[in-house]
Amino acid sequence: MTVLNIRGKLGLSEVVDTGDSPQEFVGENPRIDNKFEYDIAVIGLGPVGVRTLHNQCISKERVLGFDASESRLAEVSSGSMSLSLLENKRIAHAMGAQLLTLTADPEELAKAAVLIICVPTPVSEANVPDYSPLRDACGLVVNAVSPGQLIVQTSTTYAGATRELIVEPLRNRTLVPGIDIHVAFSPEPANVSISQQKNIHVPRLVGGYTTSCREAAVEFFGHGVFKFQRTYGLEAAEMTKLFEAAFHTVKTALTSEFAQACTELDVPFEEVLESVNLNLDAVAGFTAGSGAGGYELTIGPHHILNQSQAHGLQLPVLEAAVKSNKHRPAAVVERCVRVLVDLGKELSDSKVLIIGLSNYPDTADLSNSPGLEIMSLLLEAGAHVGFHDHHFAGPITLGDTHVSGYPNPHDFGADLIFLNTAHSHVDLSWISMTDTVIDGTYRATGILNRVPL
C-alpha cells in the first residue's frame, strides 16, 4: 500500500511558531519512517464527517471512519443515515471492498497517516455554541497520535481553537508541532455545488501551525482541489471561515427581504435578481429562497457572535441577519396560508407538496434544512405534507410523523406546490395548468400558475 508522504521539509531558516518567541530550525527535519495501516481517518461521522468519508471513499484510499457512538456507526454501515442513494451505495461498496473500516476504538487513530476532525459544533436553543464534542475529539486525537501524522481540523469553531485544543496539548506530550506532527485547519468549502454550476472553483482554505504544516495539508488535499487559499496561521484561517459564514448569512437575509418587498410591490424579482448578479461578482451571487440552510451557514455565525460577545463586542448587522433567516421558514408557511385563502381553501384541509428538500441544488445536504423546518411547520398547522426529491427516497421522520416521498409527484394530488430547491435535472413537466405553485427559487418563470414567494 502506498502511504501518502505528508512530512514535507522545513526549509533553511524557516520560522516555526513554538508559542513563545520565533525560533529557527536549520536544515531538514528528521524523517520518521512510520508505517500506517490507513491513509486517512475521519473523526466524527455527523453530516459533514459522513460527506468527507464519502469523498475519501471515492478516491479508493484505505479509509478509517471513527465515531464514539456505536449507534452512529451502525447507521453509517447499514445505510440508514439521511444520505443520497448514491452516497449510501458508495460507502457500502467501500466497506464491501475492505477499503473502509468503521470503529469506535480511539487506539486505531494511531494507524492513519492523516487524521481529519469533522465533529459538529452545535448551537443550543440560547444560541450558545457547544464545543464539548470538539474538545473530546481533539483530546482523543492528541492522546492517540504518533510522530509523522498530519492532523487537519475542519470543524467550524472560534478563532484560536485549533491552537488551544491540539497544538498546546501536543506540546504537553513533548511532541513538537511542525516537526513531529503537522497541524492544519482546513474547513470544507461552502456552496460547492453552486460554484460548480457556475464553473467556478472555490479555493480550499488552508491554514497551518507552520508553513510546513500548511503545505502538508495542501499536498494531502491537492489531488482533488484546483486552487488553495493559504493563510499564514491557524487563527487567520479560522476567522476567514467565520467571516464567510457571516457574509452568506447577511446576504441571504438581505436578498430574502428584497424578494418579499418585490412580491408585495408586484415587481418581478427574478429580473431584479438576474440584473444584480450580472453586476456583482459571480462568486458573491445572490439567491433568495426559504432561508439559510446547511450546517456552516446556520451554525457558523453563532461562533463569531459568541466569541465577540465574550469580549464585549456587538455585531448588530449579523445578529439581525441571523434572526431574519431563522424566521424565513415561518414566512414561507404564512405565504402558503395566504395563497390557499385566495384559492378558497384552508391550510389545515390542504395537501402541500414540497419540491426539493436539499439546501442547495444538486446536493443531498439536509443539515439544518429550511425545507425540513417548513414541512414541520406545515404539519403543525394540520396540513398533509409530501415531498419530491430524487436525492431522497423517503420517508423522512419529523418528530412522530413520517413524511412520504413521491417519485411520481403527480400521485400526491397536491392542493399547493412549493418549489423549494430546483435541482438541475428536476422534471417539472408534470405540473398541470391548474396546479398552483409557490416559487421559492424565483426562477421557475415557465410555470403558468406561478406565485413568487
Side-chain angles (χ1 to χ4, degrees), residues 301-368:
H302 293 290
H303 293 283
I304 185 61
L305 286 172
N306 185 261
Q307 188 175 19
S308 298
Q309 290 165 1
H311 288 78
L313 301 174
Q314 298 297 318
L315 305 177
V317 173
L318 182 56
E319 290 175 359
V322 168
K323 291 179 181 178
S324 175
N325 288 330
K326 186 175 182 180
H327 178 70
R328 189 63 174 167
V332 172
V333 175
E334 292 169 5
R335 181 65 167 157
C336 291
V337 170
R338 295 200 304 270
V339 171
L340 285 168
V341 167
D342 291 340
L343 296 173
K345 300 178 180 181
E346 296 289 335
L347 179 59
S348 58
D349 298 324
S350 299
K351 301 174 73 174
V352 182
L353 180 69
I354 312 294
I355 301 179
L357 292 182
S358 305
N359 291 316
Y360 308 110
D362 303 324
T363 72
D365 183 10
L366 285 181
S367 55
N368 297 332

Side-chain angles (χ1 to χ4, degrees), residues 196-434:
Q196 289 172 345
Q197 291 173 36
K198 295 180 179 180
N199 198 29
I200 300 168
H201 299 300
V202 178
R204 175 115 195 181
L205 175 65
V206 182
Y209 176 65
T210 66
T211 302
S212 62
C213 289
R214 183 189 67 197
E215 295 309 309
V218 167
E219 180 182 346
F220 166 68
F221 287 113
H223 66 279
V225 178
F226 291 91
K227 186 178 180 181
F228 290 92
Q229 177 61 46
R230 293 169 166 87
T231 68
Y232 285 101
L234 296 169
E235 287 79 6
E238 290 165 333
M239 188 61 83
T240 299
K241 181 60 181 176
L242 297 178
F243 196 148
E244 180 185 80
F247 170 77
H248 285 293
T249 298
V250 174
K251 182 187 71 174
T252 299
L254 177 64
T255 309
S256 296
E257 286 184 2
F258 267 79
Q260 186 173 2
C262 286
T263 298
E264 296 297 327
L265 298 173
D266 198 25
V267 176
F269 182 65
E270 59 275 8
E271 293 185 24
V272 175
L273 196 62
E274 182 178 359
S275 298
V276 167
N277 282 323
L278 286 173
N279 290 322
L280 295 175
D281 183 5
V283 175
F286 285 69
T287 58
S290 55
Y295 182 82
E296 300 298 341
L297 302 190
T298 54
I299 301 299
H302 293 290
H303 293 283
I304 185 61
L305 286 172
N306 185 261
Q307 188 175 19
S308 298
Q309 290 165 1
H311 288 78
L313 301 174
Q314 298 297 318
L315 305 177
V317 173
L318 182 56
E319 290 175 359
V322 168
K323 291 179 181 178
S324 175
N325 288 330
K326 186 175 182 180
H327 178 70
R328 189 63 174 167
V332 172
V333 175
E334 292 169 5
R335 181 65 167 157
C336 291
V337 170
R338 295 200 304 270
V339 171
L340 285 168
V341 167
D342 291 340
L343 296 173
K345 300 178 180 181
E346 296 289 335
L347 179 59
S348 58
D349 298 324
S350 299
K351 301 174 73 174
V352 182
L353 180 69
I354 312 294
I355 301 179
L357 292 182
S358 305
N359 291 316
Y360 308 110
D362 303 324
T363 72
D365 183 10
L366 285 181
S367 55
N368 297 332
S369 166
L372 296 182
E373 177 68 14
I374 291 167
M375 286 204 302
S376 295
L377 294 174
L378 289 170
L379 290 169
E380 290 177 9
H384 180 44
V385 183
F387 71 89
H388 171 64
D389 191 320
H390 68 275
H391 287 287
F392 308 100
I396 288 179
T397 302
L398 297 172
D400 297 327
T401 304
H402 300 291
V403 181
S404 298
Y406 288 81
N408 186 355
H410 186 72
D411 293 342
F412 183 68
D415 297 298
L416 181 65
I417 299 167
F418 175 60
L419 180 55
N420 182 58
T421 304
H423 299 298
S424 58
H425 299 296
V426 65
D427 180 14
L428 301 179
S429 63
W430 58 270
I431 297 177
S432 71
M433 297 176 62
T434 58

Side-chain angles (χ1 to χ4, degrees), residues 116-162:
I116 308 176
I117 300 174
C118 300
V119 297
T121 47
V123 172
S124 69
E125 291 292 331
N127 294 328
V128 177
D130 178 9
Y131 297 116
S132 58
L134 181 60
R135 290 193 181 96
D136 292 343
C138 290
L140 290 175
V141 167
V142 168
N143 289 332
V145 293
S146 59
Q149 290 180 295
L150 164 65
I151 304 172
V152 182
Q153 209 287 90
T154 71
S155 303
T156 303
T157 184
Y158 58 92
T162 306

Side-chain angles (χ1 to χ4, degrees), residues 427-449:
D427 180 14
L428 301 179
S429 63
W430 58 270
I431 297 177
S432 71
M433 297 176 62
T434 58
D435 288 328
T436 300
V437 179
I438 296 179
D439 180 14
T441 70
Y442 296 91
R443 296 181 184 277
T445 55
I447 298 175
L448 182 63
N449 289 329

Side-chain angles (χ1 to χ4, degrees), residues 70-115:
E70 295 283 0
S71 61
R72 177 55 58 87
L73 295 175
E75 288 179 358
V76 176
S77 62
S78 65
S80 59
M81 289 193 68
S82 296
L83 302 174
S84 70
L85 298 177
L86 180 59
E87 287 172 327
N88 278 320
K89 184 177 180 179
R90 281 175 172 164
I91 289 176
H93 177 267
M95 293 187 66
Q98 297 185 337
L99 298 172
L100 169 63
T101 302
L102 301 179
T103 184
D105 182 4
E107 292 185 3
E108 290 293 299
L109 299 179
K111 302 176 182 179
V114 180
L115 304 174

